[in-house]
Amino acid sequence: QVQLVESGGGLVQPGGSLRLSCAASGSISSINTMGWYRQAPGKQRELVAVIISGGSTNYADSVKGRFTISRANAKNTVSLQMNSLKPEDTAVYYCNAVGRLIGGGARFDSWGQGTQVTVSS
């Protein structure tokens, strides 16, 4: 009932930048949090950054000062600006949204399909 579509991944050299975007659509009444997670080969999925509807943000220590999460509430979109990328940032990045559905207010917790980010020279 809620679909998340990500875009913006790719290959970039160390020190470069990429911008990821995610758009949520479907039977959405409200979205409380939107965020980005990543999963590198052989590792567990981890939080990268999250933003709450009021604008509060939280970042993984490994990306603080390099990544910036932003959200357009009216458009149900979230973006992740990634600067000073490092090889260890290489992973599949997933968008996540948590909120309430229309017609009853059931909670949803949805994930995008993932987008590959590769940082390599």
Side-chain angles (χ1 to χ4, degrees):
Q1 289 176 300
V2 176
Q3 299 80 39
L4 301 181
V5 178
E6 301 131 334
S7 61
L11 173 64
V12 63
Q13 292 186 341
S17 298
L18 281 176
R19 185 177 180 87
L20 305 182
S21 295
C22 172
S25 62
S27 304
I28 299 170
S29 174
S30 62
I31 297 180
N32 183 40
T33 63
M34 296 190 80
W36 292 93
Y37 293 72
R38 66 187 181 187
Q39 187 167 18
K43 295 187 177 182
Q44 290 188 335
R45 190 174 296 188
E46 63 176 2
L47 171 72
V48 176
V50 64
I51 185 166
I52 302 173
S53 57
S56 298
T57 58
N58 188 35
Y59 295 91
D61 288 343
S62 59
V63 307
K64 284 180 180 177
R66 300 189 297 122
F67 291 10
T68 302
I69 189 170
S70 59
R71 180 178 165 183
N73 288 334
K75 297 182 179 180
N76 288 335
T77 60
V78 65
S79 298
L80 185 68
Q81 178 66 42
M82 303 185 294
N83 299 327
S84 302
L85 282 160
K86 305 175 181 180
E88 50 264 44
D89 294 317
T90 295
V92 178
Y93 284 69
Y94 296 90
C95 178
N96 173 257
V98 178
R100 296 286 179 179
L101 298 173
I102 60 175
R107 180 181 181 275
F108 70 85
D109 184 346
S110 297
W111 294 86
Q113 79 284 358
T115 185
Q116 178 69 47
V117 171
T118 302
V119 185
S120 175
S121 56

